[in-house]
């Protein structure tokens, strides 16, 4: 039996966008769970391995997948969807936030942490730095979760309950990451 499949460019680009987004978000989820399990186990070496794995996969997998997600999303916006819908603006803002967290926090922190461990081994200071990084990862993942919800549900300004729920997810992620950040930094000083 012969089936004729007619594909349009929008569907192809959207498929590619979804595939690389799955790699990016799914990879981030797996790394976050790996880090939480290592942290809860009390195994300091396991925690450092989880952080090192996240750092290594960040450059090899996560950055390329996130950039391709952005490129395919921008192509869809440019040719078919536009840039004015609220869900597009939220998605781009969320992408910018996770990109900046990666560039300004994860990359320099993981480099500093790798240098600390190389120089001194696993120390209380390197563990504290790793745990802070894991907390920021929780916030980063809450941003990713909001972006995924945004892309699927496509809220408008009239979707106040959905927008409030998305804001609550971000606030919980921020509280989880930064709630006692200042107290921890002072206690280490």
């Amino acid at each position: 039996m012969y089936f004729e499949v007619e594909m349009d460019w929008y569907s192809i680009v959207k498929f590619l966008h979804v595939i690389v987004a799955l790699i990016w978000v799914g990879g981030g989820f797996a790394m976050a769970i790996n880090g939480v399990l290592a942290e809860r186990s009390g195994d300091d070496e396991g925690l450092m391995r989880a952080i090192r794995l996240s750092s290594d996969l960040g450059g090899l997998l996560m950055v390329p997948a996130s950039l391709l997600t952005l490129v395919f999303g921008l192509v869809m916006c440019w040719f078919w969807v536009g840039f004015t819908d609220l869900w597009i603006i939220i998605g781009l803002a969320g992408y910018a936030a996770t990109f900046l967290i990666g560039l300004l926090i994860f990359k320099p922190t993981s480099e500093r942490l790798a240098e600390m461990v190389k120089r001194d081994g696993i120390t209380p200071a390197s563990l504290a730095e790793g745990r802070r990084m894991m907390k920021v990862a929780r916030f980063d993942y809450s941003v990713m979760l909001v972006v995924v919800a945004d892309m699927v549900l496509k809220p408008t300004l009239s979707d106040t309950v959905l927008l409030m729920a998305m804001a609550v997810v971000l606030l919980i992620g921020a509280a989880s990451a930064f709630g006692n950040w200042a107290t921890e930094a002072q206690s280490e000083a």
Side-chain angles (χ1 to χ4, degrees), residues 24 58 77 79 121 125 129 165:
W24 176 34
C77 288
F79 289 106
E129 187 80 4

Side-chain angles (χ1 to χ4, degrees), residues 26-50:
F29 184 73
M31 289 189 304
I33 293 297
N34 186 38
V36 167
L37 292 174
E39 193 172 13
R40 287 187 178 171
S41 74
D43 176 12
D44 294 344
E45 288 183 22
L47 176 61
M48 296 311 274
R49 276 193 308 275

Side-chain angles (χ1 to χ4, degrees), residues 141-160:
Y141 212 79
S142 71
V143 174
M144 285 186 180
L145 199 61
V146 166
V147 170
V148 169
D150 174 65
M151 293 289 114
V152 171
L153 302 172
K154 298 176 177 31
T156 64
L157 281 174
S158 63
D159 296 316
T160 52

Side-chain angles (χ1 to χ4, degrees), residues 116-163:
M116 289 171 74
V117 171
K118 182 180 175 183
R119 183 183 61 239
D120 304 322
I122 298 173
T123 64
S126 64
L127 287 168
E129 187 80 4
R131 286 188 177 99
R132 272 195 299 275
M133 195 166 110
M134 297 298 294
K135 287 183 176 188
V136 175
R138 288 185 211 132
F139 173 70
D140 186 57
Y141 212 79
S142 71
V143 174
M144 285 186 180
L145 199 61
V146 166
V147 170
V148 169
D150 174 65
M151 293 289 114
V152 171
L153 302 172
K154 298 176 177 31
T156 64
L157 281 174
S158 63
D159 296 316
T160 52
V161 172
L162 176 58
L163 293 171

Side-chain angles (χ1 to χ4, degrees), residues 9-10 13-14 17 69-85 87-88 92:
W9 282 107
Y10 176 77
V13 173
K14 185 175 183 180
H17 175 72
T69 300
L70 176 66
V71 167
F72 291 129
L74 290 174
V75 167
M76 285 189 298
C77 288
W78 185 264
F79 289 106
W80 297 286
V81 179
F83 291 93
T84 58
D85 291 338
W87 65 275
I88 297 291
L92 289 171

Side-chain angles (χ1 to χ4, degrees), residues 1-21:
M1 183 180 244
Y2 175 75
F3 292 99
E4 188 173 320
V5 177
E6 187 175 316
M7 295 283 267
D8 62 292
W9 282 107
Y10 176 77
S11 296
I12 293 168
V13 173
K14 185 175 183 180
F15 172 76
L16 294 171
H17 175 72
V18 170
I19 290 298
V20 292

